[in-house]
Amino acid sequence: MLAVKRGDSQKLGTLYERYKDWLFRFFLQLHGNSVLGEDMVQTVFMRILKYKHTYTEDSKYVTWMFQIARNVNNDHFRKREQKHVKEEIDKINFKLSDYETADERIEKQESSHLLHRALQKLPIDKREVIVLSKLKELKYREVATILGCTENTARMKAHRALIDLKEIYLSIEKN
Amino acid sequence: MTIEKFKNLLPDFILGMLSEAEEIELRSFIQSNLEAASIYEEWKSLEEELDTISEQPSRKMDDRFYQFLESENNDGVDESAKVYSINRPKKELGWLKAVAVAAILVVGFLIGKQWESPSIVNTQEITNSTALQEAAQETEAVRTELVISLVDQPSASKRLQALSEASKLSEATDQVINALFKMLNSDPNVNVRLAAVSALSNYVENPKVREGLVLSITMQDSPMVQIALADLMVTLKEQKSINSMETLLQKPDINQAVKQKLEESINQII
């Protein structure tokens, strides 16, 4: 990353190859939509290049990268909220019947996987803490830095989220 | 360990947050305590699913990334324009906008027809195809570099990632081939050796690879790898492998299933 920061943007390719799968799975498990996941990975790397000057030697690269990934995700949610409000108004104005976008259709198909379905039923912050904690290279200390909380809080959040996930998972499995 | 401590540590265990020593202690507690075993049983299916998450993005994502990287290196186009070009187009346009866009396209097409110059079109096509070729070469170079850098990683999953990346290469350099053989012949993990057979099978048109695979047969001690290599030799109808397989058959400690497989393979190749 330091080479990228110095202006050798070709090295971004090496970072991309090393972390693209992690980021893709992070977004896929948050949203259950692979098309959206790929778009978001692309956006993360564009932002890495754009904000490379903010990277410092004393911060761990993975932690810094996931902070960017979280921002990309939050921006997506904000836009979706705005779009949702607009769609609601459109529905009232034009009396559109139940309308399913292509994205929503893809989302439904891909959510057929049991774990994905259970994750989608969790609130986004709980989904996020589980997905981050499950990444082998991240310990609670790094998860805490990404989430902006203490290590102990990150651990507690992960525990609660995992217990909730288990309850949902088992109830879906039974049905 | 007490049952309370076990309950407290179990989520950390499922998330892979425990140290090796703590993990061993917890596992042995599960085996020795019925209540712990029953609690753990409830978690098992979820734990397995969490551990097998392995979805991978499509090649399209790679293509888009390398086109973006190429454009970053080639020009000084302003950032917002590049962001727009890479993002997916907006799905909805107001009808007025749509009509205006359609009209501009029709007029543009008609004017283009009038003034079209074949040499300009050809130059544009050549430029585009050169840019794509350069992007593809760049992908190959980065991937090769990545494979080499992951081969000696202590983690087996990293070495498996190296093999997965190697399988995506359209051409492998000697350095990559040597790295793949190093994994096939000396990696301590059997899954890595099996994946190395699969990765090398992409380059069997290279005589050096075929020769290396034949030689590797006698070097393997895992029945699974021996069978995988025998299967590959049958697919390739590789006559030179018969000697290696016969040598392996002479070993006194040969696995019975492997023995049978080798005999069948030799017959199929002959």
Side-chain angles (χ1 to χ4, degrees):
Chain A
M1 183 58 213
L2 288 171
V4 176
K5 190 180 174 181
R6 283 194 298 268
D8 183 0
S9 51
Q10 283 303 315
K11 290 280 180 222
L12 189 69
T14 309
L15 291 174
Y16 170 81
E17 290 296 342
R18 191 161 285 186
Y19 297 110
K20 64 178 183 186
D21 289 352
W22 282 19
L23 284 170
F24 173 70
R25 284 173 206 155
F26 172 71
F27 289 125
L28 181 65
Q29 284 166 60
L30 286 189
H31 303 286
N33 180 335
S34 60
V35 178
L36 180 62
E38 291 188 357
D39 276 356
M40 288 176 135
V41 173
Q42 183 84 10
T43 311
V44 168
F45 281 97
M46 286 160 70
R47 288 199 190 174
I48 285 175
L49 207 55
K50 192 173 175 184
Y51 299 111
K52 61 188 181 200
H53 58 279
T54 66
Y55 177 75
T56 52
E57 262 177 84
D58 39 301
S59 54
K60 193 174 174 183
Y61 171 72
V62 178
T63 317
W64 182 73
M65 181 182 75
F66 272 105
Q67 280 169 332
I68 293 179
R70 283 190 83 217
N71 288 339
V72 168
N73 191 54
N74 292 341
D75 289 351
H76 169 77
F77 264 89
R78 263 198 298 276
K79 277 182 196 160
R80 206 168 74 161
E81 288 280 302
Q82 286 163 3
K83 195 182 161 200
H84 183 68
V85 171
K86 189 184 171 295
E87 276 177 2
E88 285 301 310
I89 295 166
D90 287 349
K91 269 185 198 171
I92 296 161
N93 285 346
F94 301 104
K95 293 181 182 168
L96 286 177
S97 59
D98 280 348
Y99 175 70
E100 197 179 49
T101 65
D103 271 359
E104 283 163 349
R105 269 202 302 277
I106 294 166
E107 207 164 331
K108 268 189 188 170
Q109 283 166 10
E110 294 191 354
S111 295
S112 56
H113 197 279
L114 193 57
L115 176 60
H116 284 168
R117 279 166 60 202
L119 277 168
Q120 297 311 307
K121 284 183 186 284
L122 273 181
I124 186 77
D125 55 328
K126 291 192 174 181
R127 242 180 285 167
E128 195 178 49
V129 73
I130 290 178
V131 177
L132 287 171
S133 304
K134 196 59 201 161
L135 284 172
K136 287 191 181 76
E137 315 278 326
L138 294 184
K139 292 292 167 199
Y140 285 132
R141 189 157 36 92
E142 280 92 31
V143 176
T145 311
I146 295 169
L147 299 180
C149 61
T150 66
E151 190 176 338
N152 201 33
T153 309
R155 181 171 180 259
M156 285 301 113
K157 280 184 176 184
H159 279 210
R160 280 191 213 118
L162 194 64
I163 289 164
D164 287 356
L165 178 68
K166 191 196 86 174
E167 296 304 320
I168 298 169
Y169 181 89
L170 292 179
S171 75
I172 299 176
E173 200 178 35
K174 269 182 202 158
N175 300 323
Chain B
M1 184 181 283
T2 62
I3 192 77
E4 273 66 38
K5 190 181 174 193
F6 165 78
K7 285 179 186 170
N8 186 31
L9 287 179
L10 188 57
D12 298 329
F13 173 71
I14 304 287
L15 291 169
M17 292 290 188
L18 295 183
S19 69
E20 210 180 323
E22 287 173 320
E23 210 177 298
I24 292 169
E25 194 190 350
L26 193 127
R27 279 186 193 282
S28 79
F29 186 71
I30 292 170
Q31 284 175 348
S32 62
N33 185 298
L34 278 176
E35 191 184 347
S38 140
I39 293 171
Y40 177 58
E41 194 58 37
E42 281 183 27
W43 284 89
K44 252 182 154 176
S45 54
L46 175 62
E47 185 196 18
E48 277 165 19
E49 280 230 43
L50 282 167
D51 282 340
T52 52
I53 293 165
S54 59
E55 291 95 337
Q56 287 199 323
S58 70
R59 288 291 290 262
K60 230 157 83 178
M61 186 176 93
D62 291 350
D63 295 343
R64 282 170 61 201
F65 171 77
Y66 284 105
Q67 275 172 20
F68 157 71
L69 198 56
E70 193 67 22
S71 72
E72 275 298 319
N73 290 322
N74 284 347
D75 53 47
V77 182
D78 96 296
E79 207 62 38
S80 58
K82 273 179 288 190
V83 170
Y84 180 78
S85 70
I86 285 166
N87 281 344
R88 284 188 296 165
K90 290 195 186 299
K91 284 179 193 148
E92 291 169 29
L93 282 174
W95 67 271
L96 264 176
K97 273 189 192 168
V99 170
V101 168
I104 291 166
L105 284 174
V106 171
V107 172
F109 175 74
L110 292 174
I111 294 171
K113 271 282 179 197
Q114 285 280 324
W115 295 96
E116 185 183 273
S117 154
S119 64
I120 292 171
V121 174
N122 288 342
T123 312
Q124 187 62 40
E125 278 173 2
I126 290 165
T127 313
N128 286 345
S129 104
T130 313
L132 280 175
Q133 272 176 4
E134 280 171 7
Q137 279 169 1
E138 175 61 27
T139 313
E140 287 276 300
V142 170
R143 195 161 270 146
T144 300
E145 200 182 314
L146 180 72
V147 171
I148 309 288
S149 73
L150 290 174
V151 162
D152 292 318
Q153 291 289 318
S155 144
S157 68
K158 289 276 175 203
R159 300 196 301 276
L160 282 168
Q161 194 194 340
L163 289 160
S164 149
E165 293 302 328
S167 301
K168 294 176 196 162
L169 289 167
S170 53
E171 266 181 63
T173 60
D174 280 356
Q175 217 182 348
V176 169
I177 298 286
N178 291 340
L180 296 182
F181 272 115
K182 186 180 169 193
M183 283 194 271
L184 172 62
N185 294 330
S186 58
D187 199 284
N189 185 303
V190 69
N191 291 324
V192 173
R193 298 203 298 276
L194 277 171
V197 175
S198 164
L200 281 160
S201 68
N202 294 324
Y203 310 110
V204 286
E205 71 287 354
N206 179 341
K208 198 179 149 192
V209 172
R210 288 175 85 110
E211 200 180 320
L213 287 167
V214 169
L215 288 171
S216 179
I217 295 172
T218 53
M219 298 164 81
Q220 299 300 330
D221 51 12
S222 152
M224 282 196 290
V225 183
Q226 290 165 341
I227 289 174
L229 282 168
D231 277 337
L232 183 58
M233 293 301 126
V234 172
T235 311
L236 299 174
K237 297 265 174 223
E238 181 57 67
Q239 296 284 337
K240 287 178 190 165
S241 67
I242 294 174
N243 274 346
S244 297
M245 287 198 266
E246 281 173 346
T247 310
L248 196 57
L249 278 170
Q250 303 304 317
K251 287 193 175 177
D253 55 346
I254 188 164
N255 176 292
Q256 275 310 303
V258 176
K259 190 179 175 196
Q260 196 182 337
K261 180 78 196 173
L262 290 175
E263 284 166 351
E264 280 170 16
S265 302
I266 292 171
N267 284 335
Q268 282 173 286
I269 295 171
I270 291 169

